[in-house]
Amino acid sequence: MSSIHLGSTIVDALVSTGVRDVVLAPGSRSAALALAVDRAARSGALRLHVRVDERVASFTALGLAKAAERPVAVITTSGTAVANLAPAAMEARASGVPLVFVTADRPAHFVGTGASQTADQLGALGPAGLGVVRLSSESGDAAAWAAGVHRAVVLAAGHRTRRPGPVQLNAEFAAPMVSPLPEPARWPLAVTPSRPGPSHRLEEPLRTVVLAGDAPPEVGAEARRVAEAARAPLFAEPSSNARGGDCAIAGYRRLLATLGGDIERVVVFGHPTLSRPVTALMSRADVELVVVTSTADWPDPGHRAVVVADVVELPAQDEAWLARWRNADSAAVGGGFSQRHVARSVLASLDGGHDLVLGSSSIIRAADSIAATDDAPRVFANRGVAGIDGTIATATGIALADGRPSTVLIGDLTAQHDLGALVRPTLEPWPSLRVVVADDDGGSIFHTLEQGAPDYADSFERVFGTPQGLDLVAVATAMGWRAVRVADQEALDGALASDADFIVAAVPRPAP
């Protein structure tokens, strides 16, 4: 068999297993894959997205898979290209996003010989990878290759394991890499997903709160349903997709200091990560921790979980319990012009027909203090490992998934980490995407941590605050964006109502 047959079979098998989006970062060793995926795209069998930067490509795929909730494939060439997939793979593993990384490779007998663009790339995803499937144009036949693709996609989707995430499909291509493509083939496989377990009923009428962390919309909706059915206070992070309704407590993080001691049970949905008070609550020995999850993994940073279930039923709460939290709740944003003002304005400008992607640093915490409405956008964030890289690329993938208008709200350092994603390739479709940057010229989140104490003031700015002095409006304008800079509430609201698609809001950062 030949490399072009291997490339064609891989793409045909991806299509046969239901993959509908492929992101390609072009290269030489992956030429057979590129030709095959281009043919599949031109026939309408899948959508192809081309990005020159492998890190941008992988985070774009992450966004596509998050929004579509199905596996997305990424194709790269060999060598260092594969290493650039690691950040997105780590996020995909921690947040349960199904990705298939198809990494082109030299034949195994070249590894260790000094051959060009050759490295030992098997298992390059490290512990982030759920598994590695190996294929070679010098071994096996089309049926064997298709079976390997089937295993990679099913493993990534978590159909049988209930643990979705990233999988490496490493394909060795021997020269010649290109020749006429064979006719497309179908390689069908039907896989029955593992079934959820029965509902678990919690009988004892403990004072209960529902805690909703980062989660897809359907999980957030279930968290809200459970809280409202029991009339329990709902602590919903911005990307939980559970914020809203009369059980949601916008100021829950602040109120934990005064009312949290009376909590007896916490029911967790999604992946809560935003604050130390929440982590402390989940770690308390005097609290019954119940985790609701449909996967084989569950959040339990304090090792206190006593129930893990697919579905739970709560006993009705005393209405006075919810009333205590509601009466104490407030969502004031304070004076001046801050990240909270930016978050409030962005949220107010979006309705249920929009998507919002939040950066994983201080801006998502600012959004966490804003009360939500029932006609709120879908909200996404990369909270698996809470990194700030790849956020714009992730938002691009989310916007491409179903064509909904999308806004990404980030800080200035997060924007700098993903400048490559601002490139809009001339031959590629581009979504309806707006970028809003809360620019405080540095890392304001560190002011809220131990290193923000006066004892470390002499070192703070250089090693934590890290001001860059970058004119992001000039950068975005050079890349073809309609960029504006605002410095007050009125100007921000005007920019959000305009056709500007890159808005930099200058906000102050407290001095160390």
Side-chain angles (χ1 to χ4, degrees):
M1 303 294 280
S2 67
S3 287
I4 198 69
H5 279 85
L6 174 57
S8 181
T9 301
I10 289 173
V11 172
D12 291 342
L14 288 172
V15 171
S16 296
T17 52
V19 172
R20 293 296 174 261
D21 287 279
V22 175
V23 186
L24 167 70
S28 174
R29 191 58 52 166
S30 55
L33 290 163
L35 292 172
V37 77
D38 177 62
R39 179 178 66 180
R42 285 186 283 109
S43 73
L46 52 74
R47 295 194 303 173
L48 173 62
H49 314 270
V50 181
R51 299 292 186 272
V52 298
D53 182 320
E54 287 83 11
R55 192 176 75 159
V56 171
S58 58
F59 275 105
T60 301
L62 180 79
L64 283 160
K66 268 180 175 280
E69 298 187 51
R70 61 172 178 255
V72 172
V74 183
I75 295 174
T76 74
T77 191
S78 61
T80 58
V82 181
N84 285 307
L85 306 175
M90 291 175 68
E91 176 63 28
R93 174 61 183 267
S95 55
V97 177
L99 294 177
V100 179
F101 292 107
V102 186
T103 54
D105 201 355
R106 261 60 173 174
H109 58 80
F110 284 122
V111 176
T113 68
S116 177
Q117 208 171 355
T118 303
D120 187 355
Q121 61 190 51
L122 283 176
L125 304 183
L130 294 175
V132 179
V133 175
R134 301 178 61 183
L135 304 178
S136 172
S137 65
E138 299 179 321
S139 175
D141 56 17
W145 298 336
V149 176
H150 288 164
R151 290 184 180 276
V153 175
V154 171
L155 181 59
H159 288 321
R160 304 299 299 170
T161 64
R162 306 186 79 194
R163 182 183 283 114
V167 172
Q168 182 186 12
L169 176 61
N170 196 71
E172 300 173 8
F173 292 97
M177 268 76 76
V178 297
S179 56
L181 280 165
E183 288 298 312
R186 285 187 51 78
W187 303 97
L189 176 69
V191 177
T192 302
S194 298
R195 302 292 183 187
S199 175
H200 184 92
R201 181 165 183 81
L202 302 168
E203 300 288 353
E204 192 174 355
L206 302 177
R207 288 188 295 272
T208 300
V209 298
V210 174
L211 175 61
D214 182 65
E218 65 273 13
V219 174
E222 176 64 7
R224 179 174 169 178
R225 185 198 68 77
V226 168
E228 292 179 348
R231 304 299 293 164
L234 172 62
F235 303 166
E237 294 182 359
S239 60
S240 68
N241 292 286
R243 290 173 82 90
D246 62 355
C247 290
I249 309 299
Y252 67 93
R253 284 191 290 153
R254 175 180 55 81
L255 295 177
L256 280 172
T258 54
L259 301 181
D262 292 333
I263 297 172
E264 297 175 320
R265 175 191 287 137
V266 178
V267 179
V268 178
F269 291 80
H271 184 200
T273 57
L274 282 190
S275 73
R276 293 181 180 182
V278 166
T279 301
L281 173 64
M282 295 173 64
S283 303
R284 278 172 41 188
D286 62 336
V287 167
E288 179 183 274
L289 186 67
V290 178
V291 184
V292 184
T293 178
S294 62
T295 71
D297 300 306
W298 60 90
D300 182 17
H303 318 296
R304 296 293 183 183
V306 296
V307 174
V308 178
D310 288 274
V311 183
V312 297
E313 298 177 43
L314 300 184
Q317 298 289 294
D318 184 343
E319 192 69 32
W321 173 237
L322 175 60
R324 286 178 62 191
W325 289 89
R326 291 183 59 189
N327 292 338
D329 192 20
S330 67
V333 298
F337 184 58
S338 67
Q339 288 193 1
R340 289 188 177 187
H341 293 87
V342 176
R344 181 183 63 181
S345 290
V346 169
L347 283 164
S349 72
L350 306 175
D351 59 24
H354 291 75
D355 289 339
L356 174 63
V357 182
L358 292 169
S360 282
S361 192
S362 55
I363 194 65
I364 193 172
R365 291 164 174 84
D368 194 36
S369 66
I370 308 301
T373 65
D374 283 339
D375 190 23
R378 292 193 309 182
V379 182
F380 298 89
N382 287 341
R383 296 302 302 175
V385 288
I388 65 172
D389 48 348
T391 307
I392 298 172
T394 301
T396 303
I398 288 169
L400 285 166
D402 53 18
R404 289 161 58 97
S406 297
T407 295
V408 54
L409 175 57
I410 53 180
D412 54 292
L413 297 184
T414 301
Q416 291 183 49
H417 267 265
D418 207 18
L419 291 179
L422 294 178
V423 176
R424 297 187 278 198
T426 56
L427 299 181
E428 296 302 303
W430 192 258
S432 175
L433 178 66
R434 177 175 58 187
V435 179
V436 181
V437 182
D439 185 359
D440 58 11
D441 194 23
S444 61
I445 193 170
F446 296 112
H447 289 283
T448 67
L449 304 177
E450 292 89 344
Q451 53 265 57
D455 293 348
Y456 311 107
D458 291 344
S459 301
F460 185 89
E461 275 299 277
R462 186 176 186 190
V463 299
F464 297 112
T466 59
Q468 301 294 302
L470 183 65
D471 185 349
L472 287 168
V473 170
V475 172
T477 300
M479 293 184 174
W481 293 74
R482 297 183 297 275
V484 298
R485 187 175 182 85
V486 301
D488 57 46
Q489 187 74 63
E490 183 178 0
L492 173 60
D493 291 339
L496 290 169
S498 74
D499 66 351
D501 56 12
F502 194 98
I503 302 169
V504 177
V507 294
R509 180 161 57 87

